[in-house]
Amino acid sequence: MAQELSTAGVLLKYAVEATAGTRPTTGYTQVPCIKAIPDFNPEPESLEVTDLSDTTWRRYIPGLRDPGGALAFTANLTTQFKTAWETLITAFEAANADGKATWFEIMVPNFGSFYFAGYPTELGMTAMDVNAVLEIEAYVTPNQIEGWGTSST
């Protein structure tokens, strides 16, 4: 029998490397107010390997997967979120100046975590409508994707 999961309790966290080139396993800080996480399951490119001996079908092998550049994390635009994102940007800039990466963890309760390193972008101004929740897209451009692992402590 399958154990279906809920998105309730999913968290976005970040940590900067203590040692350049080594993903942190502890010390991740939660980014509050996240409402939606982008897709990290891109289809791989298909690389054609058909040669002249093939007479009926073309043949392919899987190529690289492209996460699509900057990824949008939807958040409620609150003072708490804005302060947390500004703190993330400051931590990223300090780490980047020291040649260290900033790692992100998408933690799924009772399942594990998905890890990637990336470059967060400063917040801009979001679109607004009458009688709507004030939300914003916060962007992170991934440059190293590790994938699934054990959740941090």
Side-chain angles (χ1 to χ4, degrees), residues 57-101:
W57 296 97
R58 291 183 184 270
R59 294 182 300 114
Y60 297 88
I61 60 173
L64 298 175
R65 294 167 52 171
D66 183 359
L71 302 172
F73 292 81
T74 305
N76 285 328
L77 184 51
T78 64
T79 302
Q80 181 186 18
F81 172 76
K82 185 175 177 286
T83 299
W85 197 261
E86 288 168 348
T87 301
L88 163 59
I89 294 293
T90 300
F92 162 76
E93 289 172 346
N96 197 42
D98 287 341
K100 298 175 182 174

Side-chain angles (χ1 to χ4, degrees), residues 12-153:
L12 174 65
K13 300 178 178 183
Y14 73 91
V16 298
E17 293 177 338
T19 304
T22 303
R23 179 182 62 80
T25 56
T26 61
Y28 283 79
T29 300
Q30 180 186 344
V31 178
C33 306
I34 297 296
K35 296 181 73 168
I37 292 175
D39 187 8
F40 260 101
N41 194 31
E43 125 182 50
E45 291 184 29
S46 294
L47 306 176
E48 184 182 349
V49 295
T50 309
D51 62 37
L52 292 174
S53 68
D54 293 307
T55 60
T56 305
W57 296 97
R58 291 183 184 270
R59 294 182 300 114
Y60 297 88
I61 60 173
L64 298 175
R65 294 167 52 171
D66 183 359
L71 302 172
F73 292 81
T74 305
N76 285 328
L77 184 51
T78 64
T79 302
Q80 181 186 18
F81 172 76
K82 185 175 177 286
T83 299
W85 197 261
E86 288 168 348
T87 301
L88 163 59
I89 294 293
T90 300
F92 162 76
E93 289 172 346
N96 197 42
D98 287 341
K100 298 175 182 174
T102 300
W103 284 86
F104 295 85
E105 173 185 13
I106 301 169
M107 189 195 81
V108 180
N110 304 312
F111 191 74
S113 291
F114 192 89
Y115 292 96
F116 69 99
Y119 297 82
T121 301
E122 290 182 17
L123 297 174
M125 174 56 74
T126 188
M128 295 178 221
D129 292 315
V130 173
N131 196 33
V133 174
L134 186 56
E135 298 176 337
I136 193 163
E137 302 289 322
Y139 293 95
V140 178
T141 303
N143 73 341
Q144 182 178 348
I145 298 174
E146 184 174 293
W148 288 101
T150 304
S151 295
S152 69
T153 54

